[in-house]
């Protein structure tokens, strides 16, 4: 855990000392994200990277073995109730999508989401009791499509807007807005052999539905509602 590592690096000192040297196959931590604080992913992963490099474990795999987005804007005794609800709404879904994008940019080799249990408060991929997919489910559905394309091409975050792009049999761009305001995103696609774009939106209104189709121009504008994310699929 990072909390214990901050105050005590004796274990790393021990296994890196010449007389007690031992390999370190992997290092893990937990990272729960709250409010609009996705910067925590970079803070934690950068800290782990710094410490491991300092003790000579630059090749060690790094895993965030427990994470979720506990988004609650109220400082009240029942705050848990609100973030359990938000985990399944477009508010939680946009944060999960942005988190997945960020992990591609940073030193995170693997991440284990907590969780997908059907009858657990944290099991936010499905609505209870209907067991229909929640909006957060579609963040993982989108990411599976990125994974299918195989080639991560771009990842960036700025002003609480997060993005990820991948290439393969076609191109796809993901953009997440984790704010409570509508955002206009200027999108420029360079050196693409494809020019037909389709936008699939997850927002308060839409569940990964086709909301727009257009021919790519030199500069394109995508409107992202509050707490939303979009998949922009670009094909021939």
């Amino acid at each position: 855990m990072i909390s214990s590592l901050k105050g005590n690096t004796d274990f790393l000192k021990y296994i890196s000392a010449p007389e007690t040297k031992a390999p370190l196959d992997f290092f893990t931590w937990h990272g729960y994200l709250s409010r609009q604080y996705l910067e925590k992913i970079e803070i934690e992963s950068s800290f782990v990277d710094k410490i491991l490099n300092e003790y000579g474990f630059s090749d060690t795999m790094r895993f965030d073995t427990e994470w979720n987005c506990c988004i609650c804007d109220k400082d009240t005794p029942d705050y848990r109730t609100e973030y359990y609800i938000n985990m399944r709404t477009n508010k939680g879904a946009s944060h999960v999508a942005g988190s997945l994008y960020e992990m591609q940019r940073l030193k995170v080799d693997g991440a284990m989401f907590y969780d997908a249990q059907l009858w657990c408060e944290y099991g936010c991929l499905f609505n209870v009791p209907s067991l229909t997919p929640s909006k957060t489910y579609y963040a993982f559905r989108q990411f599976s499509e990125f994974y299918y394309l195989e080639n991560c091409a771009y990842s960036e975050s700025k002003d609480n807007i997060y993005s990820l792009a991948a290439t393969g049999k076609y191109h796809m761009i993901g953009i997440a807005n984790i704010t409570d305001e509508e955002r206009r995103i200027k999108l420029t696609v360079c050196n693409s052999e494809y020019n037909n774009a389709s936008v699939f939106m997850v927002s308060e209104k839409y569940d990964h539905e086709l909301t727009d189709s257009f021919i790519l121009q030199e500069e394109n504008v995508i409107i992202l509602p509050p707490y939303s994310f979009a998949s922009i699929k670009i094909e021939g």
Side-chain angles (χ1 to χ4, degrees):
M1 293 287 191
I2 282 183
S3 58
S4 61
L5 185 58
K6 281 184 178 179
N8 190 344
T9 56
D10 288 349
F11 175 72
L12 294 178
K13 291 176 183 177
Y14 184 82
I15 64 172
S16 61
E19 62 276 13
T20 52
K21 192 172 182 61
L24 183 64
D25 296 326
F26 60 89
F27 181 90
T28 74
W29 73 95
H30 292 184
Y32 281 82
L33 311 166
S34 59
R35 300 182 187 271
Q36 295 182 6
Y37 192 30
L38 296 197
E39 294 91 343
K40 191 167 180 275
I41 302 172
E42 182 168 11
I43 292 170
E44 291 179 346
S45 61
S46 297
F47 174 77
V48 169
D49 186 55
K50 176 180 179 296
I51 294 297
L52 291 179
N53 289 340
E54 182 179 326
Y55 286 93
F57 298 109
S58 58
D59 295 330
T60 294
M61 301 286 283
R62 298 103 193 271
F63 300 106
D64 185 347
T65 48
E66 194 172 310
W67 70 278
N68 201 326
C69 296
C70 304
I71 311 304
C72 176
D73 296 323
K74 299 176 182 177
D75 187 15
T76 61
D78 65 343
Y79 68 96
R80 283 182 176 269
T81 300
E82 182 177 346
Y83 74 57
Y84 288 144
I85 293 171
N86 288 341
M87 283 178 179
R88 294 169 171 81
T89 69
N90 56 301
K91 182 177 284 190
S94 60
H95 282 73
V96 168
S99 299
L100 290 168
Y101 303 167
E102 275 288 86
M103 291 176 188
Q104 308 315 298
R105 183 176 69 85
L106 300 167
K107 272 286 231 180
V108 182
D109 294 303
M112 293 68 182
F113 186 74
Y114 190 85
D115 61 31
Q117 297 180 74
L118 293 180
W119 304 108
C120 171
E121 293 91 340
Y122 282 91
C124 56
L125 302 192
F126 298 93
N127 296 307
V128 177
S130 68
L131 302 186
T132 56
S134 71
K135 293 184 185 292
T136 301
Y137 165 90
Y138 293 102
F140 287 94
R141 173 175 168 173
Q142 180 197 56
F143 193 76
S144 72
E145 193 167 356
F146 280 124
Y147 182 80
Y148 168 76
L149 292 172
E150 295 186 344
N151 304 299
C152 182
Y154 183 80
S155 179
E156 183 183 29
S157 61
K158 184 178 181 180
D159 298 329
N160 286 322
I161 298 294
Y162 295 81
S163 63
L164 179 66
T167 64
K169 292 184 177 179
Y170 51 89
H171 306 317
M172 196 169 88
I173 300 168
I175 308 175
N177 172 18
I178 67 166
T179 75
D180 60 2
E181 300 176 344
E182 180 179 279
R183 303 290 290 271
R184 291 173 57 88
I185 308 299
K186 291 182 179 180
L187 175 66
T188 302
V189 179
C190 302
N191 303 319
S192 173
E193 67 273 35
Y194 307 132
N195 60 4
N196 295 312
S198 303
V199 179
F200 297 83
M201 186 71 66
V202 175
S203 64
E204 184 176 19
K205 182 178 179 180
Y206 296 109
D207 290 344
H208 196 259
E209 297 170 53
L210 179 65
T211 57
D212 194 12
S213 297
F214 56 92
I215 303 297
L216 284 176
Q217 307 296 321
E218 287 188 9
E219 189 174 273
N220 311 273
V221 175
I222 306 295
I223 306 297
L224 286 178
Y227 299 119
S228 67
F229 67 94
S231 300
I232 304 160
K233 193 173 181 178
I234 303 170
E235 302 177 278

